[in-house]
């Protein structure tokens, strides 16, 4: 994976959805990091499937209706 990989670009529903990014984004980063640490033998496909699942959960779906 590369920084700003276009395969990982998503758009929030509106500017307000990005408010408070520092907290919710740090929490999401920690969650992703924890998943990676707990699934070190996961394939790229497994990680991306989990990420798509995560972005379809209500909290992120509200911010990113088009998902991941």
């Amino acid at each position: 994976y590369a920084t700003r990989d276009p395969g990982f670009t998503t758009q929030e529903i509106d500017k307000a959805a990005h408010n408070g990014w520092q907290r919710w984004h740090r929490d999401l980063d920690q969650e992703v990091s924890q998943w990676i640490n707990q699934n070190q033998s996961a394939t790229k496909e497994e990680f991306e499937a989990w990420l798509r699942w995560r972005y379809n959960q209500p909290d992120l779906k509200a911010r990113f209706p088009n998902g991941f």
Side-chain angles (χ1 to χ4, degrees):
Y1 297 109
T3 303
R4 306 279 187 227
D5 186 321
F8 291 96
T9 301
T10 188
Q11 183 68 39
E12 71 269 0
I13 192 167
D14 58 22
K15 198 102 168 126
H18 209 66
N19 289 346
W21 75 270
Q22 291 179 340
R23 181 64 188 174
W24 71 261
H25 199 268
R26 280 194 308 250
D27 290 345
L28 180 59
D29 284 349
Q30 183 177 3
E31 186 178 348
V32 171
S33 178
Q34 183 178 18
W35 189 92
I36 291 169
N37 286 331
Q38 292 175 347
N39 297 277
Q40 292 184 17
S41 63
T43 64
K44 176 181 176 182
E45 292 77 18
E46 289 169 329
F47 172 65
E48 290 176 8
W50 177 82
L51 205 55
R52 280 190 292 280
W53 169 83
R54 185 61 187 90
Y55 270 80
N56 277 301
Q57 298 307 300
D59 62 324
L60 291 182
K61 190 75 168 173
R63 292 180 186 277
F64 303 96
N66 295 325
F68 159 73

